[in-house]
């Protein structure tokens, strides 16, 4: 299977390394620049550079396009182009990612016969841990500890990856609590984020705890000598604490996949992604989980602002729900317009002696928005619900 890579996000370099190591997979034409081009050159990844993303997508034998654009609109445009070029797509979420972005991705996935998978934090966790195979039973809590960065955009990226890694362990989190601890000078010293299930949940869910703190560099987890000899850089581990106080550490590429290899040198990451890309049910499932993670990330920011626990409700945006929301807002505006328009029309007709034709035109202008609004309701059956696996 041949891959094309386009964009600037250095996070894609981990996938590029994995593709080179995986059996039966190779990198074809690429259109990369910026930090991604520098990272691929530094790590000795061989690729052929072309002049435009479109040229890379239609390159000989290309079946999967990796979209690593930093801009949200450009990223969505490239995903759409790649999907229309009959290619599977792996997308690196941009910095300004939101639930609206995941909604657009989901619509593209519904329309396409090819898979689309966002490369999120759960893919930074080694092997089968994301599906719960390595976690086992009798879990008391899950935890990840990351360094606290002063770069706000970088902090957002690290938080999103870590939250998605915790959500990817197979537990349904619906409640989030974020707490900042400032220093004497007002600067942020640490941040604690706790994921949990709501009180109404029938299933016992171990909390997921993300801690970001300042101080000396965190200890680097290196589980075995063989991995040390292979030159694999290990990021902050996912720590599984059991009820008997035993701790099990799972390798991750957090907080920064570009700086921490997640066993990409053995081709595991690329193989897992391809396996899921060709399964539409898996793609739908991952897209739904991506949307839920973004809802949790939005809940994190809300918890920080309100300084309290926030319950997250995964409503799942669809064309139909968006249509209803927009029609409700427009309906309120139309109702206001009709009321004030009627008052204005009556006052004008009383104070000014207008010819009959002008009065007819005024009535049409007053009532036309109401007619158009009522006709627009007939479009509701055309709006689609979001597909689920």
């Amino acid at each position: 299977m041949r891959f094309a890579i386009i964009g600037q996000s250095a996070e894609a370099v981990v996938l590029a390394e994995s593709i080179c190591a995986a059996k039966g997979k190779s990198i074809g034409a690429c259109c990369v620049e910026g930090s991604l081009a520098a990272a691929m050159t530094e790590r000795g990844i061989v690729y052929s550079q072309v002049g435009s993303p479109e040229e890379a997508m239609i390159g000989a034998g290309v079946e999967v396009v990796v979209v690593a654009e930093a801009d949200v609109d450009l990223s969505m445009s490239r995903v759409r182009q790649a999907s229309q070029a009959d290619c599977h797509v792996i997308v690196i979420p941009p910095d300004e990612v939101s639930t609206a972005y995941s909604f657009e991705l989901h619509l593209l996935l519904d329309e396409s016969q090819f898979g689309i998978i966002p490369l999120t934090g759960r893919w930074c966790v080694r092997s089968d841990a994301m599906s719960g195979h390595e976690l086992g039973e009798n879990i008391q809590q899950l935890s990840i500890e990351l360094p606290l960065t002063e770069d706000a955009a970088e902090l957002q990226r690290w938080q999103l990856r870590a939250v998605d890694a915790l959500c990817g362990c197979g537990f349904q989190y619906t409640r989030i609590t974020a707490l900042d601890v400032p220093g004497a000078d007002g600067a942020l010293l640490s941040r604690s984020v706790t994921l949990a299930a709501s009180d109404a949940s029938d299933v016992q869910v171990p909390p997921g705890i993300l801690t970001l703190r300042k101080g000396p560099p965190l200890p680097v987890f290196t589980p075995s000598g063989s991995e040390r000899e292979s030159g694999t850089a290990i990021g902050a581990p996912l720590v599984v604490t059991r009820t008997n106080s035993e701790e099990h550490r799972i390798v991750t590429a957090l907080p920064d996949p570009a700086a921490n290899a997640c066993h990409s040198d053995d081709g595991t990451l690329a193989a897992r992604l391809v396996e899921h890309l060709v399964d539409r049910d898996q793609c739908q499932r991952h897209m739904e989980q991506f949307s839920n993670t973004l809802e949790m990330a939005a809940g994190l920011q809300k918890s920080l602002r309100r300084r309290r626990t926030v319950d997250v409700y995964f409503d799942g945006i669809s064309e139909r729900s968006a249509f209803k929301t927009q029609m409700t807002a427009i309906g309120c505006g139309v109702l206001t317009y009709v009321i004030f328009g009627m008052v204005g029309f009556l006052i004008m007709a009383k104070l000014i002696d207008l010819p009959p034709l002008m009065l007819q035109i005024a009535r049409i202008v007053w009532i036309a928005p109401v007619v158009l609004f009522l006709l627009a309701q007939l479009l509701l059956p055309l709006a689609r619900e979001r597909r689920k696996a």
Side-chain angles (χ1 to χ4, degrees):
M1 184 169 280
R2 202 165 181 82
F3 291 72
I5 304 176
I6 58 176
Q8 314 87 27
S9 175
E11 186 178 345
V13 73
V14 178
L15 178 56
E17 286 184 322
S18 185
I19 294 168
C20 293
K23 185 178 180 181
K25 299 172 179 60
S26 62
I27 297 177
C30 298
C31 183
V32 296
E33 56 187 4
S35 58
L36 177 55
M40 292 177 69
T41 302
E42 180 183 351
R43 301 195 184 192
I45 298 172
V46 179
Y47 65 96
S48 59
Q49 178 79 351
V50 294
S52 68
E54 293 80 6
E55 195 175 343
M57 294 175 192
I58 62 174
V62 171
E63 297 178 68
V64 182
V65 176
V66 180
V67 177
E69 298 286 359
D71 180 75
V72 171
D73 294 332
L74 187 57
S75 174
M76 183 58 62
S77 174
R78 299 297 185 220
V79 173
R80 184 177 293 107
Q81 288 176 333
S83 183
Q84 291 172 350
D86 294 342
C87 294
H88 298 292
V89 183
I90 299 171
V91 57
I92 310 293
D95 291 345
E96 301 300 323
V97 69
S98 66
T99 50
Y101 180 86
S102 72
F103 169 56
E104 293 293 335
L105 277 185
H106 211 145
L107 290 181
L108 286 177
L109 177 61
D110 290 345
E111 295 169 354
S112 175
Q113 298 300 315
F114 297 84
I116 302 175
I117 288 182
L119 193 64
T120 54
R122 67 189 63 217
W123 295 99
C124 294
V125 180
R126 180 188 175 186
S127 188
D128 293 327
M130 64 172 288
S131 60
H133 295 171
E134 289 189 8
L135 298 182
E137 300 177 349
N138 302 321
I139 299 173
Q140 184 176 8
Q141 72 172 35
L142 306 171
S143 60
I144 298 175
E145 185 171 336
L146 304 180
L148 185 63
T149 175
E150 295 181 358
D151 187 320
E154 192 171 50
L155 179 61
Q156 290 288 92
R157 287 196 299 272
W158 291 8
Q159 284 180 164
L160 181 60
R161 290 173 189 148
V163 167
D164 189 70
L166 291 169
C167 291
C169 291
F171 302 107
Q172 183 64 41
Y173 294 116
T174 57
R175 177 171 288 180
I176 188 164
T177 306
L179 177 64
D180 281 350
V181 178
D185 58 352
L188 184 61
L189 289 181
S190 67
R191 173 174 294 174
S192 174
V193 180
T194 303
L195 309 181
S198 65
D199 296 334
S201 176
D202 297 329
V203 181
Q204 290 291 330
V205 175
I209 300 174
L210 166 63
T211 304
L212 302 105
R213 69 174 81 248
K214 277 188 175 180
L218 298 175
V220 175
F221 170 56
T222 308
S224 70
S226 61
E227 287 165 353
R228 190 181 298 113
E229 290 170 5
S230 69
T232 304
I234 306 299
L238 170 64
V239 180
V240 181
T241 305
R242 306 192 186 282
T243 51
N244 59 2
S245 299
E246 175 189 348
E247 287 188 355
H248 173 51
R249 294 169 177 255
I250 298 173
V251 176
T252 77
L254 300 171
D256 185 3
N260 301 283
C262 186
H263 286 247
S264 58
D265 54 350
D266 62 3
T268 304
L269 178 60
R272 288 167 58 201
L273 283 166
V274 169
E275 180 184 348
H276 288 242
L277 270 175
V278 297
D279 187 334
R280 286 194 60 80
D281 288 342
Q282 290 280 14
C283 289
Q284 291 286 350
R285 191 174 298 113
H286 285 302
M287 201 65 72
E288 193 70 27
Q289 291 167 346
F290 179 47
S291 298
N292 291 351
T293 295
L294 293 177
E295 293 280 4
M296 293 296 292
L300 189 159
Q301 298 302 322
K302 188 182 297 183
S303 178
L304 286 174
R305 289 195 304 270
R306 298 182 178 181
R307 299 182 181 180
R308 65 174 178 84
T309 298
V310 171
D311 287 317
V312 181
Y313 303 97
F314 306 116
D315 295 329
I317 302 175
S318 67
E319 276 190 351
R320 181 159 295 189
S321 63
F323 180 85
K324 289 179 179 179
T325 301
Q326 291 171 352
M327 284 296 105
T328 300
I330 294 173
C332 294
V334 170
L335 181 61
T336 303
Y337 169 82
V338 168
I339 293 173
F340 284 98
M342 180 177 62
V343 173
F345 174 77
L346 293 176
I347 292 175
M348 182 180 65
K350 194 73 174 177
L351 297 179
I352 304 174
D353 187 15
L354 294 175
L357 178 61
M358 290 297 295
L359 290 175
Q360 291 291 347
I361 293 174
R363 290 190 187 99
I364 292 173
V365 171
W366 171 55
I367 203 65
V370 180
V371 176
L372 293 175
F373 174 76
L374 293 175
L375 290 175
Q377 306 305 310
L378 300 177
L379 297 175
L380 180 60
L382 301 179
R384 297 168 295 179
E385 290 287 0
R386 173 178 280 185
R387 281 191 206 165
K388 296 187 179 181

